[in-house]
Amino acid sequence: MITPSFNQMSSGSVVVVTGCTQGLGYYAVKTLAQDLAKGTQKYDCIVLCCRNVAAAKKAAETVARQTKCDPAKLVVLEEGCNLCEPRSVRAYAAALKAFLGERKIVSLVNNAGIGGNPAFHKTSQGLDMIWATNHLGHFLLTLLLLRHLAPDSRIMNVSSDVHDPANKTPLPDADQYWPQTTEEYDQRLARGDPFPGESIVTSGGRRYSRSKLCNVLFTNELARRLSGAVPYALPDAALDAWRSSRAAVCTLPAARTIQVVAMNPGLMLDSGFFSGVLGRFLGWLVWLLTPLLRITPARRFLRSAASSGVTLARLALPAPPSPTAVSTSAGALVAAPASKTGAVSAVFFDGDEVKPSSAFSRSPDAVARYQVRGECLGE
């Protein structure tokens, strides 16, 4: 297990956590606050980034009371962040930049998310609510904040084991019917339209698992781009133009020192996940059956929000990844210290263990068809 140390961290360091009024994010913030109260970590403050400002303030008050952390170090901005709406994400990023001033973000924890609710909701742009909240909002927020990340900082994307069909989870395969054209991208990813004959419950589960696969694809591709790589699938003429311009290399001063990490926190029945996938009543029934699930093969997926929150907090702090470098058959870097490779690390954690993400998520072909379109970002 990685136990990072922040003792040499310079003053003016900020940790940002999305979605922390309950569940995984709440316990991660609580763990980070405990470290601040004990003086074992030296970041200046923790910013609770949430859609519901009132709920975030209440959570901050509760954490401060329970951990004895200075309430001033648990920051809730007056601007809420509705991740499924690009306009809200941009407004929140602007407010956060104003708050930061000269300070830098040392850890950006992209945790917020919703389950695969069988009720099919869309955003004001007509995008699938699950995909927009779990992936697109964090994609945009991260890009808007990149210039405000400190050297040796960490971007933490909370994914799930459902992104990998090899894990044999109850949800539909994330990479099945993966879009091959722009039209299919709009239909299957952006809008989340069900396939002909697909049930609404199966559709909700697939939309959720796909959003978690996109978290991993984003992790891998962001690390590649921060290292100066060019996009996949560009025509030869466009590649030549790209390489001959300054755009061929990421010019952010801290780019090659940033660690980009994805994590599977496990199936946390106490986080309300099944209520999101199956609906409130069926989710409640599954929760009642938790003791039985612990004696079935499903127990290998089960964890608690509290224990996974501690793990998330520990992994969110910048530290060298596992000393063992793991290269994939596709040539993607799974885990390696950036200082030795000259490239940004892209690491996938299953709990606190480094493991390869799905074979599909490491495929250049998959990444080439994943590229987020500007229209989805409100551009």
Side-chain angles (χ1 to χ4, degrees), residues 107-150:
S107 181
L108 173 60
V109 184
N110 292 323
N111 162 72
I114 58 177
N117 196 308
F120 193 26
H121 298 295
K122 292 194 175 185
T123 70
S124 62
Q125 292 181 286
L127 303 178
D128 171 36
M129 184 77 74
I130 297 170
W131 183 73
T133 302
N134 294 358
H135 168 60
L136 187 64
H138 285 128
F139 175 96
L140 178 58
L141 182 66
T142 300
L143 297 189
L144 293 173
L145 297 177
L146 271 181
R147 293 186 179 276
H148 297 268
L149 265 64

Side-chain angles (χ1 to χ4, degrees), residues 20-45:
C20 38
T21 58
Q22 60 183 343
L24 180 66
Y26 174 84
Y27 287 108
V29 167
K30 185 176 180 180
T31 301
L32 294 166
Q34 287 173 335
D35 292 341
L36 270 181
K38 295 174 182 177
T40 56
Q41 305 296 350
K42 294 186 178 179
Y43 37 87
D44 278 4
C45 64

Side-chain angles (χ1 to χ4, degrees), residues 20 73 78 81 88 122 152 158 166 219 222 228 230 234 280 302 327 338 342 350 365:
C20 38
K73 293 184 178 295
E78 291 301 324
C81 185
S88 176
K122 292 194 175 185
D152 300 311
V158 175
T219 299
L222 179 59
V230 299
L234 283 180
R280 184 168 297 180
L302 300 181
S327 294
D350 182 7
D365 183 64

Side-chain angles (χ1 to χ4, degrees), residues 278-291:
L278 302 175
R280 184 168 297 180
F281 178 70
L282 290 178
W284 175 73
L285 288 179
V286 171
W287 178 79
L288 286 180
L289 295 173
T290 299

Side-chain angles (χ1 to χ4, degrees), residues 16-212:
V16 180
V17 184
T18 69
C20 38
T21 58
Q22 60 183 343
L24 180 66
Y26 174 84
Y27 287 108
V29 167
K30 185 176 180 180
T31 301
L32 294 166
Q34 287 173 335
D35 292 341
L36 270 181
K38 295 174 182 177
T40 56
Q41 305 296 350
K42 294 186 178 179
Y43 37 87
D44 278 4
C45 64
I46 306 164
V47 176
L48 285 72
C49 170
C50 302
R51 177 181 57 82
N52 188 326
V53 173
K57 289 181 177 179
K58 184 176 180 180
E61 292 171 0
T62 302
V63 167
R65 184 174 63 254
Q66 292 179 347
T67 63
K68 310 302 181 186
C69 178
D70 180 356
K73 293 184 178 295
L74 294 167
V75 178
V76 178
L77 304 184
E78 291 301 324
E79 184 76 41
C81 185
N82 187 354
L83 288 164
C84 71
E85 298 292 346
R87 181 178 300 178
S88 176
V89 175
R90 293 179 187 276
Y92 184 85
L96 180 56
K97 292 174 186 178
F99 166 78
L100 289 172
E102 297 299 316
R103 289 176 291 194
K104 292 290 185 179
I105 298 170
V106 74
S107 181
L108 173 60
V109 184
N110 292 323
N111 162 72
I114 58 177
N117 196 308
F120 193 26
H121 298 295
K122 292 194 175 185
T123 70
S124 62
Q125 292 181 286
L127 303 178
D128 171 36
M129 184 77 74
I130 297 170
W131 183 73
T133 302
N134 294 358
H135 168 60
L136 187 64
H138 285 128
F139 175 96
L140 178 58
L141 182 66
T142 300
L143 297 189
L144 293 173
L145 297 177
L146 271 181
R147 293 186 179 276
H148 297 268
L149 265 64
D152 300 311
S153 57
R154 176 167 283 192
I155 298 169
M156 191 82 191
N157 297 317
V158 175
S159 182
S160 170
D161 51 6
V162 302
H163 88 279
D164 188 354
N167 289 323
K168 305 298 182 183
T169 70
L171 296 191
D173 292 354
D175 56 13
Q176 189 178 23
Y177 308 118
W178 191 254
Q180 301 297 311
T181 65
T182 300
E183 182 179 4
E184 289 180 354
Y185 177 97
D186 289 338
Q187 291 176 341
R188 299 178 185 179
L189 274 183
R191 296 203 306 266
D193 295 344
F195 303 114
E198 185 175 41
S199 73
I200 194 67
V201 173
T202 302
S203 170
R206 193 184 308 280
R207 284 181 282 127
Y208 177 80
S209 59
R210 278 188 171 167
S211 73
K212 298 290 100 179

